[in-house]
């Protein structure tokens, strides 16, 4: 069974120009049984001073119409939900507005920082802001339950690491352990995001996270590209699948109607 990519963005997201149909056509030709899109839903982002949200009604309508032309591939609707404690009402509302097959939960920002941009770390302190980032992730995975997969745990770390590669993620091990314990208790999956891994370019980094998660009892892993263009659909999957296997995992998980299924690897 050909693995499908469970984290991609098309032109429905603010930061992608790719036509959704191009991804679908490609996945169909590869023989994928499923296709899913996970557009952005980020509210009141400090560095843009606005919401960065896809029109999910429009996405759903487009998928329904595409499904008619591609009857042999099951087209699913996902979302990348940007967690914000101060926006919980709106987050819950969007999740109720459509039938989502998969919710990827992400920490991209907070009211005082956008973790994509190094300038916030330069201004507020690399270690201090990374501690805040992981604290938000602990808070989110403790108190928020309406999701399936925690996306790119190392998103903010990557921003700092690219400027200061002397910093190692193990510095935050206590907090990461707490996040993993929350995922395990609440039966959520840990995402290996190949976009972040391709930027960090250190297999020991992802092996460290996978081994820690496994040791604590975690078994649910998704492998996702976070593609913003067709050229990155399923990017580096063979490489990271091997690493995931080496770390002891026998399967990857995927979701349909937020129900978990397994791909054996
Ligand atoms: Zn993201
Ligand atoms: Zn994404």
């Amino acid at each position: 069974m050909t693995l499908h990519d469970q984290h991609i963005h098309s032109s429905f997201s603010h930061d992608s120009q790719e036509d959704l149909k191009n991804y679908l056509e490609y996945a169909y030709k590869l023989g994928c049984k499923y296709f899913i899109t996970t557009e952005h839903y980020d509210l009141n982002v400090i560095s843009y001073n606005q919401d960065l949200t896809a029109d999910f009604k429009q996405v759903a309508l487009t998928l329904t119409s595409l499904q008619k032309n591609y009857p042999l591939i099951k087209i699913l609707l996902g979302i990348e939900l940007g967690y914000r404690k101060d926006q919980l009402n709106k987050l819950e509302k969007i999740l109720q507005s459509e039938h989502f097959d998969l919710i990827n939960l992400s920490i991209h920002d907070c009211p005082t920082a956008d973790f994509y941009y190094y300038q916030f770390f330069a201004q507020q302190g690399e270690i201090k802001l990374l501690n805040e980032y992981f604290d938000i992730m602990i808070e989110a995975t403790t108190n928020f339950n309406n999701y399936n997969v925690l996306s790119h745990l190392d998103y903010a770390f990557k921003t700092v690491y690219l400027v200061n590669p002397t910093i190692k993620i193990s510095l935050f091990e206590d907090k990461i352990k707490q996040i993993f314990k929350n995922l395990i208790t609440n039966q959520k999956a840990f995402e290996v995001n190949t976009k972040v891994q391709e930027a960090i370019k250190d297999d020991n980094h992802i092996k460290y996270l996978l081994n820690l998660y496994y040791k604590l009892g975690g078994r649910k892993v998704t492998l996702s590209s976070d593609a913003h263009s067709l050229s990155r659909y399923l990017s580096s999957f063979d490489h990271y699948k091997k690493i995931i296997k080496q770390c002891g995992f026998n399967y990857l998980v995927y979701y349909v109607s937020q129900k978990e299924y397994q791909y054996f690897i």
Side-chain angles (χ1 to χ4, degrees):
M1 204 158 136
T2 311
L3 204 62
H4 67 287
D5 204 326
Q6 292 185 92
H7 187 157
I8 67 158
H9 301 276
S10 75
S11 55
F12 284 104
S13 287
H14 67 282
D15 53 359
S16 169
Q17 311 283 321
E18 194 65 76
D19 192 334
L20 190 59
K21 192 168 176 281
N22 294 340
Y23 287 114
L24 175 62
E25 181 74 30
Y26 184 68
Y28 173 71
K29 281 185 179 154
L30 284 176
C32 293
K33 191 176 162 196
Y34 297 98
F35 174 77
I36 189 162
T37 171
T38 54
E39 309 295 348
H40 281 294
Y41 192 82
D42 290 287
L43 295 166
N44 199 15
V45 183
I46 186 171
S47 47
Y48 297 85
N49 203 20
Q50 65 179 56
D51 297 342
L52 302 173
T53 57
D55 181 346
F56 284 93
K57 202 150 274 339
Q58 207 52 50
V59 177
L61 283 172
T62 304
L63 295 182
T64 305
S65 122
L66 284 168
Q67 182 71 81
K68 289 182 189 127
N69 299 326
Y70 293 84
L72 298 179
I73 184 165
K74 189 162 169 46
I75 302 178
L76 309 172
L77 176 65
I79 182 171
E80 181 177 13
L81 191 74
Y83 181 79
R84 280 280 295 264
K85 197 186 174 187
D86 59 326
Q87 304 282 348
L88 287 179
N89 287 344
K90 280 188 178 171
L91 296 184
E92 294 290 357
K93 213 171 149 193
I94 190 70
L95 293 180
Q96 284 160 22
S97 73
E98 300 294 335
H99 173 89
F100 288 105
D101 289 286
L102 165 66
I103 302 164
N104 286 332
L105 186 72
S106 295
I107 315 287
H108 290 136
D109 61 309
C110 66
T112 50
D114 182 334
F115 301 119
Y116 187 76
Y117 295 106
Y118 182 74
Q119 68 185 79
F120 292 96
F121 294 92
Q123 283 160 6
Q124 298 177 35
E126 292 172 342
I127 304 297
K128 182 173 171 284
L129 193 52
L130 277 173
N131 271 311
E132 271 179 49
Y133 166 77
F134 285 117
D135 283 339
I136 293 168
M137 204 171 272
I138 290 173
E139 192 277 324
T141 54
T142 302
N143 297 321
F144 188 76
N145 202 39
N146 209 348
Y147 69 103
N148 311 108
V149 177
L150 178 67
S151 281
H152 47 50
L153 177 144
D154 39 9
Y155 179 83
F157 171 79
K158 179 258 302 162
T159 304
V160 176
Y161 181 81
L162 295 182
V163 177
N164 177 7
T166 64
I167 191 164
K168 294 281 173 272
I169 203 162
S170 54
L171 196 60
F172 307 93
E173 183 164 300
D174 288 347
K175 291 186 196 292
I176 294 169
K177 272 185 177 168
Q178 190 55 56
I179 294 159
F180 282 153
K181 282 178 189 165
N182 288 345
L183 295 185
I184 294 160
T185 304
N186 297 319
Q187 304 195 14
K188 310 299 184 188
F190 167 63
E191 176 195 82
V192 174
N193 184 296
T194 67
K195 187 178 181 205
V196 172
Q197 303 320 316
E198 286 166 9
I200 291 176
K201 283 196 209 111
D202 177 5
D203 287 349
N204 288 327
H205 163 83
I206 191 63
K207 280 181 191 167
Y208 164 78
L209 290 175
L210 283 165
N211 286 329
L212 188 60
Y213 179 57
Y214 191 93
K215 209 166 69 187
L216 293 168
R219 294 295 182 271
K220 299 178 198 300
V221 175
T222 62
L223 179 58
S224 297
S225 74
D226 208 347
H228 285 66
S229 63
L230 179 62
S231 61
R232 286 204 64 262
Y233 192 78
L234 300 173
S235 183
S236 306
F237 267 36
D238 287 345
H239 179 72
Y240 289 103
K241 212 158 63 179
K242 235 180 267 167
I243 290 179
I244 291 166
K245 234 180 140 165
Q246 277 169 15
C247 292
F249 299 88
N250 300 317
Y251 60 87
L252 295 165
V253 296
Y254 70 95
Y255 295 84
V256 179
S257 288
Q258 296 189 47
K259 191 172 176 307
E260 182 197 308
Y261 297 88
Q262 298 171 348
Y263 276 122
F264 288 91
I265 54 170

